[in-house]
Amino acid sequence: VFNTAIQEAYLVGSTVGMSATGTKPIVEIQFADYIWTGVNQLVSELSKSYYLTNGKWNVQTVIRIPIGAYGSGGPYHSGSIESSITAIKGIKVVYPSNAADMKGLLKGAFYDPNPVVMFEHKGLYWSKVPGTADSGESMLVVTYGMGVHWALNASKSFPGQIEILDLRTLYPYDWDAIEASVKKHNKVFVLTEEPIMNSYAQAMAGRIGSELFKYLDAPVQMLGAKNLPAVPLNSGLEKAMLPNVEKVKAVMEELLGW
């Protein structure tokens, strides 16, 4: 275990050389907003190595990235960037919502021969919210990370009517589970912390609407942060930008009323 400078291109790129010597590096990027200088290595080297060598040379690494808004971190420490990273082919992306899932996903990522990016929501480091949701009836919420806890708390107003599907892995994700739950409930709500425009959640809602249209009783609903260029430093503006339990409850109530 050793410290490095805040030098993301080196942090990500060095895993290529370490993997070549037979090690399994685990790298931490201090904040998701800092990843951009390392994306060139992530795209050009890590994600393509196995394919371009016809399966002879893979980069085996875990890249841990704290993500999300919490405690007025401001525009350089609070971003949600999963849509940009899940668009990269050749890597896996996981996003746990609680400590138990993080332990399992981290062990799985370590033993996986592929490069794995693990997002860890900063607000959940200090959270004492236990577990994930049990299945219910009438409506499905597809979400991950902090969204699980917004949905859990909002669903208390609709006992027995909400199933929350915690994706845990963003790529690849469990489409079979999504399909089965959509067929069961016929109403779907996709919840994220990212702004919706051009997002992972929007792509998910689009696939559900396209491939499972005949099972839907209402349009797929979505909720994310307001479509702003960055997360504000001011705590009041940060709160206004982000989803919360009341906003989630409002969408659930509208969708259940269809």
Side-chain angles (χ1 to χ4, degrees), residues 69 80 146-147 150 189 191-196 222-226 238-248:
S80 292
M146 186 62 80
W150 291 324
F189 174 17
L191 175 60
T192 182
E193 186 171 319
E194 280 192 300
I196 290 296
M222 292 175 283
L223 179 67
K226 293 185 181 299
E238 179 189 63
K239 183 178 179 180
M241 177 187 182
L242 295 173
N244 58 36
V245 173
E246 292 305 315
K247 293 177 183 178
V248 172

Side-chain angles (χ1 to χ4, degrees), residues 33-90:
D33 310 75
Y34 295 1
I35 189 61
W36 304 116
T37 53
V39 167
N40 178 46
Q41 295 282 7
L42 185 61
V43 174
S44 301
E45 302 296 337
L46 276 70
S47 69
K48 292 182 172 63
S49 177
Y50 187 77
Y51 179 74
L52 293 179
T53 60
N54 196 28
K56 295 180 180 178
W57 181 26
N58 195 21
V59 179
Q60 301 185 44
T61 183
V62 181
I63 301 176
R64 297 177 55 204
I65 308 179
I67 192 171
Y70 180 80
S72 300
Y76 299 107
H77 304 86
S78 307
S80 292
I81 63 163
E82 58 266 28
S83 293
S84 297
I85 304 304
T86 52
I88 300 170
K89 306 298 186 292

Side-chain angles (χ1 to χ4, degrees), residues 71-232:
S72 300
Y76 299 107
H77 304 86
S78 307
S80 292
I81 63 163
E82 58 266 28
S83 293
S84 297
I85 304 304
T86 52
I88 300 170
K89 306 298 186 292
I91 66 172
K92 294 183 177 180
V93 183
V94 301
Y95 197 150
S97 68
N98 60 81
D101 283 355
M102 180 176 173
K103 177 184 177 181
L105 289 168
L106 185 59
K107 289 177 68 176
F110 180 80
Y111 289 113
D112 197 302
N114 302 283
V116 180
V117 170
M118 170 172 279
F119 289 121
E120 304 167 13
H121 197 288
K122 301 195 306 295
L124 297 179
Y125 283 155
W126 300 276
S127 174
K128 299 185 185 301
V129 180
T132 53
D134 295 323
S135 62
E137 297 178 352
S138 298
M139 192 180 86
L140 170 67
V141 181
V142 180
T143 188
Y144 51 90
M146 186 62 80
V148 173
H149 302 285
W150 291 324
L152 274 170
N153 287 295
S155 67
K156 294 175 183 176
S157 298
F158 311 97
Q161 295 181 280
I162 310 294
E163 176 184 348
I164 301 169
L165 179 59
D166 181 355
L167 288 177
R168 295 177 176 83
T169 62
L170 303 189
Y171 186 81
Y173 57 82
D174 191 347
W175 177 250
D176 290 341
I178 294 170
E179 184 175 16
S181 291
V182 170
K183 291 177 179 178
K184 177 180 177 182
H185 299 286
N186 312 115
K187 294 180 179 180
V188 185
F189 174 17
V190 182
L191 175 60
T192 182
E193 186 171 319
E194 280 192 300
I196 290 296
M197 186 63 67
N198 301 325
S199 70
Y200 179 87
Q202 193 172 55
M204 175 68 71
R207 183 178 182 187
I208 293 170
S210 175
E211 298 189 25
L212 303 175
F213 176 77
K214 64 182 179 181
Y215 302 106
L216 295 173
D217 291 339
V220 178
Q221 298 298 298
M222 292 175 283
L223 179 67
K226 293 185 181 299
N227 193 32
L228 301 176
V231 180

